[in-house]
Amino acid sequence: AEGLIVAVDGPGGSGKSTVAREIARRLGLRYLDTGAMYRAVTQLALEQRIDIEDSAAVAELAERAVISVGTDPDEPSIAIDGVGVDAQIRTRAVTNAVSAIAAVPAVRALLVTQQRQVIAAALPAGGIVVEGRDIGSVVAPGAQIKVFLTASTEVRALRRSRQLGEKGVDDVARTLAELDRRDALDSNRAADPLAIPPDAVVLDSTALSVSEVVDEVLRRCEQLP
Ligand code: C5P
């Protein structure tokens, strides 16, 4: 068999990770979180106190860094220069800095090349579910299934806030503002912006549960020739 690629794109808080991991589990496929790779470079840049607006310095950092990803959907992992950063990449500091790093074309070129290698390596054993912003459009335009997951900004902010363990209304408002800002940066950058590929199925998870979204994607996988 040729191997299946399922691309799952969408903005932050749309439920991409939960959905993508569950699809991978159910189909026995590998799982790649490309956002984690941009986050890992960001974490390293913050740690090394590199100016995140200095694209040349950021590009140089990314060229030197060695990123390793684990693609088990039950236990995805990410390390940079041999150091596991699974928890560090989820901090607010990284989340608010990552869009600047992800807008640097040289960083994208490096990571997209690595992402395609990870995908190619997974195909002989069945395939892979890949989540991000530009998977269906740039990383794997040949993916047999392309999903674009959306949800209202309010619902996405609530989910993010809950993930962060926040309780207050102010926290949700702040998370919403940060999410809005990140959406705008990711959608308006010149290099591979967040966009809906013309051949993607758009699923709005505002009113759909995780299992409803997963079932819809699995149904489409079953219908593949
Ligand atoms: O999906 P996640 O929220 O972890 O992604 C973090 C950031 O990484 C996004 O806001 C975006 O700037 C960047 N990203 C990207 N292309 C991808 C995946 C993530 O630019 N394929």
Side-chain angles (χ1 to χ4, degrees), residues 42-215:
T42 306
Q43 154 66 20
L44 192 66
L46 295 180
E47 192 186 293
Q48 301 198 356
R49 297 183 186 284
I50 283 168
D51 176 5
I52 59 163
E53 300 296 339
D54 181 344
S55 342
V58 168
E60 199 189 305
L61 173 87
E63 259 156 50
R64 279 184 278 116
V66 178
I67 298 177
S68 337
V69 289
T71 58
D72 179 345
D74 288 319
E75 208 184 346
S77 64
I78 182 131
I80 188 152
D81 291 341
V83 182
V85 288
D86 300 280
Q88 292 89 319
I89 62 168
R90 304 293 163 193
T91 60
R92 194 160 219 140
V94 169
T95 301
N96 289 335
V98 66
S99 294
I101 303 282
V104 179
V107 173
R108 303 202 67 82
L110 282 164
L111 295 191
V112 168
T113 299
Q114 187 175 356
Q115 289 156 13
R116 289 184 179 145
Q117 287 165 354
V118 173
I119 293 169
L123 293 184
I128 187 162
V129 182
V130 188
E131 68 154 286
R133 300 289 186 287
D134 60 343
I135 309 308
S137 54
V138 174
V139 176
Q144 294 93 328
I145 301 276
K146 296 182 185 178
V147 178
F148 193 93
L149 205 55
T150 59
S152 72
T153 319
E154 289 73 19
V155 163
R156 294 191 288 116
L158 270 174
R159 286 182 190 149
R160 238 334 119 78
S161 214
R162 224 175 284 146
Q163 271 170 10
L164 293 167
E166 298 172 342
K167 303 224 161 57
V169 184
D170 292 354
D171 292 328
V172 179
R174 177 177 164 203
T175 298
L176 194 146
E178 288 171 357
L179 206 57
D180 256 342
R181 175 180 162 271
R182 194 151 64 99
D183 285 352
L185 289 171
D186 290 343
S187 304
N188 297 326
R189 69 178 177 225
D192 312 341
L194 172 67
I196 306 177
D199 49 349
V201 46
V202 180
L203 297 175
D204 186 340
S205 75
T206 310
L208 294 177
S209 68
V210 168
S211 61
E212 284 171 323
V213 173
V214 168
D215 286 347

